[in-house]
Structures are given as structure tokens and as C-alpha cells.
Amino acid sequence: MPLYELVCISRAALSQSAMAGLLKRSAETVLDRGGAVRGFVNMGRDQTLPYRMRRHMEYHTTGTYWLMHYYANPKTSGVLMSQLKLDPRVIRCNIVKVSDKLNEMVATTESIAPAAGDFSGAGMASLGLKHRPVNFEEELHFKFWNPVHYYRALNQHRMRLNLPNPGQFEMLNKEVKGTMLTNFMFDGGRADLAKILSPNFQVMHTFQLGLPGQPSSFEFAGVYADEDTLMHGKMDTDFNLQARLNYALSKKLQFKSQAQLMSSDSQSMFQAETEYTGSDYTANVKAINPSLVDGTGIYLASYLQSITPKLSIGAELLYQCPMPKVQETSTSFSVRYQPSADRVWVAQTQGTNLLTTSYWRKISDKCDAGAELQLVNVAAQGRRDASCSVGVKYDFAASTIRAMADNFGKVSMLLEEKIAPGFSFLVSGELDHLKGENKFGVGLNIES
């Protein structure tokens, strides 16, 4: 890992606890990402700045100069720089790569002498940080006989590429889903009332006007969310209960669960999953209605990896056992290509029977468009068909309109008008020209 030097000017007259918090946060940013901190150097408190500097809507004429020497990958330095620029305690900061070759690094580290105001070593211990010296022979030399070093070399190469996290496997085409009407369409009369009781808790009431053959319904829901936990539950007038829990076990590991108790036992379900988010990949393991007695249930494992900053590929393995001694498996693959921030290509397979491709384009700051093509081939049933959908979303100053059409002659539209802050009026409609059917819906959204 290269050796870096952080040069920072913090606010003058910072309290000892505020200064210690700034140093600790900077060091933890490096340590949490596999780096090592050599130490800090105090270059002088309340020094006169060479010129008046403006930062965070204030002008400064004095400041405290300090340095931090550390070993890390280039991505860590970028994260540290972004973090310090947003910190209100920092006036100016800059990171310089001192060296990246072993011989230069050893010579450079030997030449770095602690200044009179150096607070490395004991200073790091006072901050609650463990000083971790670096053994250059162990860290930087590659041993061909050691298989662990191949893994380390691969990880170092990935760090140098600075690849982004590709996101979740089921959210590869999230842009198209946000443009299409599939998840937003409704019919009949509907009213959603939300009340924010605290920054972390809110309740929601949903009224659904009955349609021919369907009674009216009411749903009550509650949501609690903080930095690590998300809990959501709702119940309707038929006492059907749905609940969801997300809990972050660490910064990268998350546990998720969903439960559904319906009046019909065949519709009740339970799902548990664990998701690990790496720097450039996401791994997920999921179980639906698992049974420890007879081994029945549905089990999925997915992995999504960034290959380049624009390309990511993934795979998902499905194993299902609907009844004892009846087992099925299938494998799905996916590719996501994003050549720029305003366009995305996605291709996904589900086993050998279904291929889905989609394209999303941001035409302007207010207009998005998307297209989706599905090809179905079930040889056992002699079924071969295809469907194509095209959708567009346009944001006006106080309203949003979505429209969609497919190759089966179905045309739909949704208008959301923001009449006032926290109050929206919705109108939706769908015409199926081949079947001669139509749907119409009116809704209200109120939040207070």
C-alpha cells in the first residue's frame, strides 16, 4: 500500500475533545478500510493563515496545522478527502502520495522524524486507537509459494481499480422500474394518510374504495427506522398481517426478514435473508418458507460483481423443494452496463425459459424513458411468446406524469399532482384495447 501524507488546517480554538474527535475519525476511516496509521504531527495551534480563507459560510484568519501519515489504497484516500471536506471543523485539507515503491517507502519512513509537537504513538492510544506498525516485507513482498498472497494480490488489484458497488441483484433494473407504471398503477378510490410522530416513527392509514365484486378495505401500518434498524408492519380489515425487519449487523452485513400471515394458509409465508455488501460486490443468501423437519422450501444465493466501473455481472442459484423428494434447481445470470449516468442496459435470464432485457435513458433533467423486452420459451408446454413495454416519466414543477404502453394494446397513465406540501392528488387510468377492458382510479396522499 502506498504511503500518504494528509495535510490539514482545522479551526482555531477547537476544544481538546473536538480536536481528538477529528483525529480519531480520520484515523478510523483509514483503519476500517484495511490501512495503517503511522502517526500524527502537530504543526502548531492557532497559526496565522497566509490569507483569509472562507469555509462553511465563515471566514478564517487563524487555524491549527496538523499532519497524518498513513498507508492505504487510493480509494481510501478519496473517501477520507470527501469526509474532511464536509467536516465543519476543517478549513483546508490535501493528501499527497509520498511514495509507492518499497525501497522508496522504507527510505521515506525512516526520514520522517517526529516533530516537537508529534502526538503519534501515545497520542493514538489516548484516542482509543491501536497503533498498527507495518512490516514491509510481510505486506508488500509477494511469495509465489503462499496461496494467501494470490488472494491478497487480487484484492490489491481490485482496490487499485476503485470499482463501485454494483447494488442489489434484484434491483439491477431499478431505473426502469421507477419509470414504468407496474409498481404504481391502481384502480378505484384510494386515500393514504401518513402521520410522522417522531423522526424515527410514523403511522399510515390506507382506505381502498370497494370495486364490483371486491369489498372496501382499510389498512393500518407503522414504520420505525434508525441508522441500523428498519421495522415495517401493516394489517387490514381481514386481519391479514405483513411485517418486515431489516437490521444492520455491521457496516457491510445486513439481516432481512419478511413474514406474511393471511386468512388462507396457502398464502402465508416467511422469508429470511443475509446480505453482505463489499466494496465492489454484493452477496445474498435467502430462504423462503424453510422447513427444518423435511427440508422443504425455496433457497436462493446470488452474487453481483463489478468488472469495470461501467460493467457488472452476476449469477443467482435457485433451489426449491416444494415437497419431500421433489427438488428443482435453476441458475440465472445478469449483466448491467452503464456507459454514462444517463443510460443503463440490463439483461437477465431466469433459468432457461425467460430472458429479460431493458434500456433506460434520462432524456433531460425532467424526463426519463425506458423499454423492457421479455422472451419466454417453455419447450415442454410448447409456449413461445414475447412482450414489450415502453414507458416515460416527466416531472413538472408540481406534478409527475407516467405513461406506459405494451404490444398487447394496453395503454396506462398515472398523474400525481402536488397541490400543497404533504398533499397530493392522483389519477390513474388503463385501457386494454384487445380485451375491451378499462380501469380508472383516483387517490389522495396526505402527510403531516
Side-chain angles (χ1 to χ4, degrees):
M1 292 181 286
L3 171 64
Y4 291 93
E5 180 181 70
L6 166 65
V7 183
C8 187
I9 306 176
S10 57
R11 285 172 173 265
L14 276 179
S15 64
Q16 185 175 359
S17 60
M19 190 66 191
L22 176 60
L23 299 177
K24 182 177 180 179
R25 185 184 181 192
S26 302
E28 286 179 340
T29 301
V30 176
L31 296 175
D32 291 346
R33 290 164 174 79
V37 178
R38 181 176 177 82
F40 299 92
V41 179
N42 183 6
M43 303 300 292
R45 295 180 61 88
D46 301 338
Q47 298 291 316
T48 302
L49 302 179
Y51 58 90
R52 190 175 67 161
M53 299 182 181
R54 187 173 186 268
R55 193 67 172 176
H56 301 293
M57 306 299 292
E58 295 183 27
Y59 287 96
H60 304 271
T61 57
T62 58
T64 297
Y65 290 76
W66 56 275
L67 309 177
M68 182 177 76
H69 298 103
Y70 64 94
Y71 309 97
N73 58 72
K75 185 177 181 179
T76 300
S77 297
V79 173
L80 178 60
M81 194 68 175
S82 301
Q83 174 182 292
L84 291 174
K85 286 183 178 180
L86 297 176
D87 198 309
R89 296 167 293 186
V90 176
I91 301 175
R92 288 286 189 276
C93 61
N94 191 27
I95 296 178
V96 180
K97 180 190 288 188
V98 179
S99 60
D100 54 6
K101 294 182 180 179
L102 177 61
N103 55 353
E104 295 177 358
M105 195 178 299
V106 174
T108 304
T109 53
E110 291 177 351
S111 65
I112 297 178
D118 180 43
F119 43 87
S120 59
M124 291 184 65
S126 66
L127 296 176
L129 300 171
K130 184 178 179 181
H131 184 64
R132 201 169 59 188
V134 176
N135 187 324
F136 294 101
E137 296 292 333
E138 180 181 352
E139 292 286 336
L140 301 178
H141 276 182
F142 181 82
K143 298 180 176 61
F144 293 93
W145 54 266
N146 191 343
V148 177
H149 283 226
Y150 287 92
Y151 176 75
R152 290 180 179 176
L154 178 61
N155 282 340
Q156 290 178 3
H157 177 68
R158 288 165 52 190
M159 291 178 181
R160 284 193 296 268
L161 293 176
N162 195 21
L163 298 175
N165 182 272
Q168 299 175 328
F169 188 88
E170 60 267 20
M171 296 298 291
L172 279 175
N173 55 348
K174 57 185 177 181
E175 293 85 0
V176 173
K177 290 182 179 179
T179 301
M180 297 290 190
L181 271 170
T182 307
N183 298 329
F184 301 93
M185 192 65 192
F186 69 96
D187 58 343
R190 179 174 178 175
D192 296 314
L193 309 178
K195 176 66 176 180
I196 301 176
L197 302 179
S198 72
N200 302 106
F201 182 68
Q202 71 174 16
V203 295
M204 292 167 287
H205 306 268
T206 300
F207 301 87
Q208 182 73 44
L209 183 65
L211 297 173
Q214 297 181 3
S216 300
S217 63
F218 167 76
E219 286 185 352
F220 175 77
V223 178
Y224 174 83
D226 58 22
E227 294 182 356
D228 299 325
T229 308
L230 170 64
M231 292 187 292
H232 174 259
K234 64 179 181 180
M235 178 178 288
D236 60 16
T237 50
D238 294 329
F239 297 100
N240 296 319
L241 175 65
Q242 298 182 35
R244 180 161 60 105
L245 169 65
N246 294 359
Y247 182 72
L249 301 174
S250 65
K251 293 181 179 180
K252 297 183 177 181
L253 184 62
Q254 190 173 34
F255 171 78
K256 303 178 183 180
S257 64
Q258 296 184 39
Q260 181 174 291
L261 300 177
M262 310 295 287
S263 55
S264 173
D265 293 338
S266 61
Q267 297 178 352
S268 299
M269 59 85 68
F270 173 75
Q271 174 180 309
E273 62 180 294
T274 303
E275 184 174 273
Y276 185 84
T277 305
S279 59
D280 59 354
Y281 67 93
T282 300
N284 183 284
V285 178
K286 186 181 305 181
I288 303 174
N289 290 337
S291 175
L292 301 178
V293 179
D294 52 14
T296 59
I298 301 175
Y299 306 89
L300 300 98
S302 62
Y303 182 84
L304 189 60
Q305 173 72 56
S306 292
I307 304 301
T308 69
K310 300 178 180 180
L311 178 66
S312 58
I313 62 174
E316 182 179 63
L317 176 64
L318 169 66
Y319 169 81
Q320 57 181 344
C321 182
M323 59 184 67
K325 298 182 180 181
V326 178
Q327 303 174 358
E328 297 179 7
T329 59
S330 64
T331 305
S332 303
F333 299 95
S334 64
V335 178
R336 175 185 169 95
Y337 180 65
Q338 187 173 4
S340 60
D342 60 351
R343 64 189 69 191
V344 178
W345 298 84
V346 177
Q348 292 179 287
T349 65
Q350 294 184 13
T352 59
N353 301 325
L354 179 63
L355 171 65
T356 304
T357 61
S358 64
Y359 174 69
W360 176 83
R361 174 72 185 272
K362 191 172 187 63
I363 301 174
S364 66
D365 294 338
K366 298 182 178 181
C367 184
D368 302 344
E372 186 176 66
L373 174 65
Q374 275 194 354
L375 302 176
V376 181
N377 181 20
V378 184
Q381 302 176 3
R383 177 189 174 191
R384 288 185 179 180
D385 53 41
S387 64
C388 179
S389 303
V390 179
V392 63
K393 183 185 77 168
Y394 195 92
D395 295 321
F396 294 92
S399 62
T400 300
I401 185 170
R402 289 180 171 89
M404 187 174 72
D406 60 23
N407 61 320
F408 297 110
K410 186 184 296 183
V411 180
S412 53
M413 181 275 298
L414 173 68
L415 171 65
E416 180 181 0
E417 180 73 24
K418 299 177 180 63
I419 300 176
F423 180 63
S424 301
F425 176 71
L426 295 88
V427 178
S428 67
E430 181 180 280
L431 298 176
D432 193 330
H433 294 86
L434 294 183
K435 295 181 179 180
E437 299 176 353
N438 61 78
K439 297 179 181 179
F440 179 77
V442 177
L444 294 175
N445 283 343
I446 301 176
E447 182 177 320
S448 62

